[in-house]
Amino acid sequence: MERTELLIIGAGAAGISAASAAWDAGCRDIILTDRLPYPGGVLPQCLHEGFGLAAYGSELTGPAYAARLAERLAQTGVRFLPGREVLAVTKEKTAVLSGSGGLEEIRFERLILATGSRERTVGSLALAGTRPAGVFTAGQAQEMINLHHWQLGDRIVILGSGDLGMILARRFTLEGKQVLAVLEQEAHFGGLARNYHRCIEAHHIPIRYRCTVREIHGMPRITGVTVEDLDSGERELLSCDTLITAVGLVPERELIHGLEEAPWLSLAGNCSRVHDLADSAAAEGAKIGGQVGRQLIK
Ligand SMILES: Cc1cc2nc3c(=O)[nH]c(=O)nc-3n(C[C@H](O)[C@H](O)[C@H](O)COP(=O)(O)OP(=O)(O)OC[C@H]3O[C@@H](n4cnc5c(N)ncnc54)[C@H](O)[C@@H]3O)c2cc1C
C-alpha cells in the first residue's frame, strides 16, 4: 500500500491550488489524483473567456486558466496521479482508487477533498413525460460540443438562466443552431450580469421569465416541451429537438459520507460550496492547502 502525508482528491482549480500551496508551505509528500486523464477539472471544457480576472488581471479561457495552474503545479514535486477514480475513503485514513492498473490503496495523514460539484439532472425535476434522447444537462452538452465536437440538435430549448445555461445558449447560437428560448422560473436571470450581456443580449437570444417546462414529448427523440407560465398557468407546446437542463450544481461529497467530522479532513472548492468564479475556488484551495501544509510540517 502506498503512503503519503497529504492526499488531494480532485485536480480542478481548487485541488491544484491546494496542492501547490501545501508544497509552498513546506510539505514534501503530496499526492494529487483525479479520475480524468488531465488536470483542470471542468476548466478544459469551458472554451469561453471569463476566467482569472482576480488572479491574473486578464480574462482567460478555461483551458488557458487550467494551463497556468498546471504550470505552477509542474514547478512543485507534487505527484499527480491522473486517470484514477477514488471509490471510497475509510475512517482508517485510506483511499481506494480504481485506474487502468486495477485497484490501488493510498494511506494518508491528511486528506483534502476537492471533488467539485455535479449537475442536477432532469430526473430531479418534477416533469411529466418520458426521458427521450435529446435531453442533456448543460455540462454534458458543453463537454460533448467543446471537447468532442458532436452535433446535439438544431432547435434548442434551455431550462435555467444561470451561467451555464446562458453560456450554452451562446455556444449553440455560435454553432448555427436555433435557441428557441431560455426559460427561467424567476423574474430575473440567474447568472452573472456579464454573462447575460455577453451571451443573451449580444446574441438576441429569447429569454422568458416566470415559466418552466412541465412535460417532455417525443419518443425515441424529444419533439417538444410543454411550457407553463407560472403566473397565469397558461400552457403552450414548444417544438424542439433538444432540451438542455441548467438547473443547478450540487457539491460532490458522497465519498466522505459519515466522515464529515474527521479531524484529518478538509474540503476545498465546489465540493465545499459552489463557486461562481474559478478564482474563488482556486483561492479557497490555496488557503486550505497552505493551512494543511503548515500543520503537516509542524
Ligand atoms: C460551464 C461553466 C462555466 C463557468 N464559467 C466560469 C467563468 O466564466 N469564469 C469563472 O471564473 N468561473 C467559471 N465557472 C466556475 C468555475 O469553473 C468553477 O467554480 C471551478 O472551476 C470549480 O473548481 P473545483 O476545483 O472546485 O471543481 P472541478 O473543476 O469540478 O474539479 C473537481 C475535480 O474532481 C474530480 N473528481 C470528482 N470526484 C472524483 C473521484 N471520486 N475520484 C477522482 N476524481 C474525482 C473531477 O474529475 C474534477 O476534475 C464555470 C463553471 C462551469 C461549470
Side-chain angles (χ1 to χ4, degrees):
M1 183 190 305
E2 183 129 25
R3 287 169 193 273
T4 186
E5 283 182 4
L6 174 58
L7 176 66
I8 301 171
I9 306 175
I16 298 176
S17 302
S20 302
W23 179 269
D24 291 348
C27 182
R28 290 292 177 265
D29 185 10
I30 307 170
I31 292 180
L32 170 66
T33 186
D34 202 293
R35 60 160 78 107
L36 295 173
Y38 48 80
V42 74
L43 297 168
Q45 72 180 57
C46 298
L47 299 187
H48 59 279
E49 291 184 339
F51 295 83
L53 205 50
Y56 302 110
S58 60
E59 284 201 43
L60 305 171
T61 63
Y65 189 86
R68 296 234 183 157
L69 293 173
E71 272 165 32
R72 183 164 174 234
L73 184 70
Q75 289 160 8
T76 70
V78 172
R79 277 190 294 157
F80 177 45
L81 304 182
R84 267 87 158 182
E85 171 96 30
V86 178
L87 301 178
V89 174
T90 73
K91 61 182 185 335
E92 289 77 26
K93 301 206 271 187
T94 300
V96 183
L97 287 70
S98 167
S100 57
L103 289 183
E104 298 165 63
E105 287 189 346
I106 300 180
R107 200 167 168 86
F108 54 82
E109 286 304 311
R110 294 290 301 262
L111 174 69
I112 298 179
L113 192 80
T115 43
S117 51
R118 63 171 186 274
E119 293 178 282
R120 290 181 65 203
T121 64
V122 74
S124 67
L125 303 173
L127 277 182
T130 53
R131 298 291 179 265
V135 181
F136 307 94
T137 65
Q140 282 170 344
Q142 188 182 53
E143 183 185 344
M144 288 188 248
I145 297 168
N146 288 351
L147 295 186
H148 308 299
H149 312 292
W150 292 349
Q151 303 284 325
L152 302 189
D154 295 311
R155 291 168 54 76
I156 322 288
V157 171
I158 297 182
L159 179 61
S161 70
D163 293 316
L164 261 161
M166 296 197 285
I167 287 165
L168 247 286
R170 176 178 62 180
R171 189 80 194 112
F172 276 113
T173 304
L174 293 174
E175 292 277 315
K177 313 301 180 192
Q178 191 183 4
V179 177
L180 302 167
V182 175
L183 306 175
E184 170 57 55
Q185 65 178 356
E186 302 295 338
H188 47 81
F189 56 85
L192 299 171
R194 74 167 190 220
N195 283 330
Y196 173 77
H197 296 307
R198 291 176 185 180
C199 301
I200 301 294
E201 222 173 38
H203 294 275
H204 310 290
I205 295 169
I207 183 163
R208 289 166 60 173
Y209 297 106
R210 297 289 302 141
C211 61
T212 192
V213 171
R214 282 290 180 228
E215 192 165 351
I216 297 175
H217 306 278
M219 187 54 78
R221 172 121 197 161
I222 181 171
T223 54
V225 291
T226 297
V227 178
E228 181 179 302
D229 182 306
L230 292 171
D231 294 321
S232 66
E234 276 177 26
R235 292 186 172 199
E236 116 185 51
L237 179 66
L238 200 54
S239 299
C240 63
D241 63 15
T242 305
L243 172 66
I244 303 294
T245 57
V247 289
L249 301 171
V250 183
E252 179 73 73
R253 45 181 181 236
E254 271 61 26
L255 274 179
I256 52 148
H257 183 66
L259 300 171
E260 291 85 352
E261 303 302 321
W264 41 262
L265 171 67
S266 306
L267 273 62
N270 280 5
C271 72
S272 160
R273 68 177 173 87
V274 174
H275 295 260
D276 286 339
L277 296 177
D279 278 342
S280 149
E284 186 179 78
K287 183 173 159 216
I288 301 290
Q291 281 169 358
V292 173
R294 283 189 292 279
Q295 288 163 5
L296 277 167
I297 60 163
K298 271 188 187 151

